[in-house]
Amino acid sequence: MTIAVLALQGAFAEHEKILNALKIDTFQIRTKADAEREFDGLILPGGESTTIGKLLKDLEIFDVLKRKIENGLPVFGTCAGLILLAKDVVNDNRKYFDVMDIKAHRNAYGRQLGSFEAISTFGNIDNVPMVFIRAPFIESAGEGVEILSVVENRIVAARQKNILVTAFHPELLPDYTAIHQYFIDNIIKK
Amino acid sequence: MSENRYELNKNLAQMLKGGVIMDVTTPEQAKIAEAAGACAVMALERIPADIRAAGGVSRMSDPKMIKGIQKAVSIPVMAKARIGHFVEAQILEALEIDYIDESEVLSPADNTYHIDKTKFKAPFVCGARNLGEALRRIAEGASMIRTKGEAGTGDVVQAVTHMRAIQSGIREIASLREDELYNKAKELAVPLHLVEYVHEHKKLPVVNFSAGGVATPADAALMMQLGAEGVFVGSGIFKSGNPEKRAKAIVQAVTNYNNPKVLAELSEDLGEAMVGINADEIEILLAERGV
């Protein structure tokens, strides 16, 4: 199994480390040719969604990945990745992949002083440590979206078919692999 | 500052990695920077080249100007406080700034002490010329480091020197025997646990960007290949002939820093670069402030 990690900007190296610890092969997408390779899953890491979104288009990677996601490629977006996948972002008129039936709120907890940590559940997994950095949350989700985590009455993780998103950053906890394992077991292998 | 807050602040720097942080002086420039793909902006009244030209005392920017930029963009906004000026830092924290740069580009407010950054909730980035400076700033609570370079010159030579010094300092510590670490900590005037961290992980405990004199996509890629995790561009963008195009090219160059073919395309037809001054021909070396 090979998982590609979008490596245009942000915390992509951290995702690779976790996947490599799970004995998964990875490679980085930085060009259109990288995006056109064959792979079984895709990770859209945390970072700045405006920066990553802009680079996706400038480097002509966008159309290739959008087509693959629409054709069922398993994709996992964290934080900025959630924004890139959402069909609707309440406080931003920029649109990116536009594939998941969620209404997201960008920088929803305010500036850096609003960043925080929490422990909550994710689907059937208890005691999941969650790090939120200038994070978004999901204001509402359409039918067909499975809600996986709720923190302080806000949806912070969800899944729709081949798409998994978290508002928090599992990649920032190098020893915690459960969320990546969920992506592999429940989305890629199914 | 709680340990938890320090971790969150280090984590924000993780999210900036692979990105370009641009100096801006107006909301319009901030919007240009965001549209070009900047991962954050540094709000300041005058860019370093103009600070250098104007001379005199250079201070924290007007909060009104900073607020204008915070309103204009959705990416993180940073601002500079003078070295040792903890009240300027308190004011910036009250503005909910995303990152405070305790910067040698402004006139130092204290010739001996840096700000005790552990007393703040807001994160700090500090400049460094070598590993000792970097670790001393981290010991004081900095959650991100950048090379000092020589700001406002468009001459990358000092940034290169500083990045090489930091990287070779790391390699040296990595190669030491464990029983040699204490003496190294003493030599560098830094806490032992930071030297132990570098010995074990072969890297700084925080994100390390490059700054000071970056003017072209090739400069940015050079710094990345030398080990920078991202780049600050100060005067290089808005002192050039075509800021939009140059900003966009530098952002793409940082992503594809290892791909000369892409870099060649990006370097084409960018218009006039900022007029440089040789770092060894200038009288005031900003990098010597705060060591």
Side-chain angles (χ1 to χ4, degrees):
Chain A
M1 181 190 299
T2 303
I3 297 181
V5 180
L6 188 67
L8 302 180
Q9 191 270 326
F12 48 84
E14 289 75 2
H15 276 290
E16 280 190 287
K17 263 185 214 150
I18 291 183
L19 292 168
N20 294 338
L22 293 171
K23 305 270 186 274
I24 303 286
D25 292 329
T26 58
F27 72 91
Q28 299 185 348
I29 296 182
R30 290 175 188 264
T31 62
K32 190 180 176 187
D34 296 333
E36 283 166 343
R37 285 173 60 174
E38 290 284 314
F39 48 92
D40 307 298
L42 170 67
I43 289 198
L44 307 178
E48 278 306 318
S49 61
T50 52
T51 303
I52 300 172
K54 165 87 179 150
L55 284 164
L56 274 170
K57 288 180 183 162
D58 287 349
L59 297 166
E60 295 170 17
I61 297 169
F62 183 80
D63 292 335
V64 182
L65 293 185
K66 182 166 162 73
R67 198 170 54 241
K68 289 191 178 195
I69 296 167
E70 283 172 346
N71 287 336
L73 174 75
V75 56
F76 176 18
T78 61
C79 196
L82 180 155
I83 297 293
L84 294 176
L85 292 163
K87 278 199 177 164
D88 194 3
V89 182
V90 189
N91 52 342
D92 197 337
N93 48 23
R94 282 166 283 227
K95 270 205 182 170
Y96 303 101
F97 290 121
D98 193 12
V99 288
M100 188 178 191
D101 256 320
I102 52 171
K103 196 186 260 193
H105 195 120
R106 219 179 138 212
N107 299 337
Y109 301 91
R111 298 186 164 275
Q112 172 60 6
L113 291 176
S115 293
F116 66 103
E117 289 174 9
I119 292 177
S120 187
T121 55
F122 174 94
N124 297 325
I125 314 168
D126 286 330
N127 296 318
V128 177
M130 299 177 179
V131 184
F132 296 84
I133 306 291
R134 285 172 49 95
F137 58 63
I138 299 170
E139 207 165 271
S140 61
E143 273 178 53
V145 175
E146 182 189 356
I147 292 162
L148 293 165
S149 297
V150 176
V151 171
E152 290 170 4
N153 300 316
R154 310 287 194 186
I155 306 168
V156 296
R159 176 200 174 165
Q160 184 174 23
K161 290 184 193 152
N162 57 317
I163 306 168
L164 174 67
V165 294
T166 62
F168 55 92
H169 293 280
E171 73 273 22
L172 288 176
L173 304 164
D175 303 322
Y176 191 80
T177 56
I179 309 296
H180 289 80
Q181 192 70 57
Y182 174 93
F183 177 56
I184 293 163
D185 293 344
N186 294 282
I187 301 187
I188 298 183
K189 287 187 179 166
K190 289 270 161 85
Chain B
M1 179 174 51
S2 71
E3 187 144 316
N4 169 298
R5 180 53 54 185
Y6 185 56
E7 287 303 316
L8 289 169
N9 287 342
K10 285 202 290 186
N11 285 336
L12 174 58
Q14 302 280 105
M15 294 304 139
L16 300 173
K17 281 194 304 185
V20 180
I21 299 167
M22 300 182 193
D23 279 2
V24 296
T25 57
T26 63
E28 291 68 39
Q29 287 184 355
K31 282 188 182 144
I32 291 172
E34 184 180 48
C39 69
V41 290
M42 176 77 69
L44 70 179
E45 264 161 356
R46 278 190 294 211
I47 55 175
D50 292 337
I51 291 176
R52 196 176 274 293
V57 176
S58 176
R59 309 178 179 88
M60 177 189 78
S61 297
D62 185 334
K64 188 176 168 188
M65 172 265 167
I66 294 171
K67 283 193 208 154
I69 287 172
Q70 284 176 318
K71 251 202 197 132
V73 294
S74 64
I75 54 180
V77 177
M78 306 182 165
K80 291 180 193 291
R82 283 180 267 177
I83 288 173
H85 205 314
F86 51 85
V87 175
E88 284 187 351
Q90 288 165 3
I91 291 169
L92 292 175
E93 183 173 82
L95 295 174
E96 296 194 30
I97 205 80
D98 291 298
Y99 243 97
I100 298 171
D101 183 5
E102 186 182 16
S103 178
E104 69 284 358
V105 169
L106 305 182
S107 309
D110 194 313
N111 285 327
T112 309
Y113 300 105
H114 278 73
I115 297 169
D116 178 359
K117 294 167 273 290
T118 63
K119 294 286 185 286
F120 290 79
K121 279 189 187 162
F124 280 82
V125 54
C126 288
R129 294 179 303 174
N130 51 52
L131 185 62
E133 277 186 35
L135 294 179
R136 287 195 289 280
R137 299 295 85 79
I138 294 165
E140 293 156 2
S143 47
M144 179 177 181
I145 291 293
R146 55 171 177 77
T147 59
K148 283 180 173 170
E150 195 52 41
T153 60
D155 189 350
V156 80
V157 65
Q158 296 301 324
V160 168
T161 306
H162 301 162
M163 185 54 75
R164 281 192 184 274
I166 292 172
Q167 299 295 348
S168 75
I170 291 172
R171 285 193 299 274
E172 192 202 335
I173 290 183
S175 72
L176 294 177
R177 278 163 53 102
E178 254 173 54
D179 61 5
E180 295 166 342
L181 297 180
Y182 179 79
N183 193 59
K184 186 42 102 180
K186 205 169 70 174
E187 260 175 49
L188 296 178
V190 302
L192 178 61
H193 73 93
L194 291 178
V195 173
E196 287 170 340
Y197 182 96
V198 172
H199 179 68
E200 189 188 333
H201 296 91
K202 302 180 177 55
K203 61 189 276 300
L204 290 180
V206 303
V207 166
N208 182 19
F209 268 49
S210 188
V214 175
T216 66
D219 288 350
L222 173 67
M223 298 316 303
M224 293 297 287
Q225 288 197 28
L226 286 171
E229 296 180 281
V231 174
F232 283 84
V233 186
S235 318
I237 288 171
F238 290 101
K239 275 281 165 191
S240 74
N242 187 342
E244 273 108 337
K245 198 168 177 192
R246 184 166 295 267
K248 189 175 141 182
I250 292 178
V251 168
Q252 290 190 40
V254 167
T255 296
N256 281 296
Y257 66 93
N258 257 332
N259 190 332
K261 255 182 104 172
V262 174
L263 294 174
E265 283 167 29
L266 293 174
S267 303
E268 218 170 277
D269 201 20
L270 289 178
E272 202 66 28
M274 74 175 281
V275 182
I277 358 171
N278 287 328
D280 55 7
E281 287 170 5
I282 51 184
E283 282 173 15
I284 300 176
L285 280 173
L286 303 178
E288 287 174 0
R289 294 170 168 178
V291 295

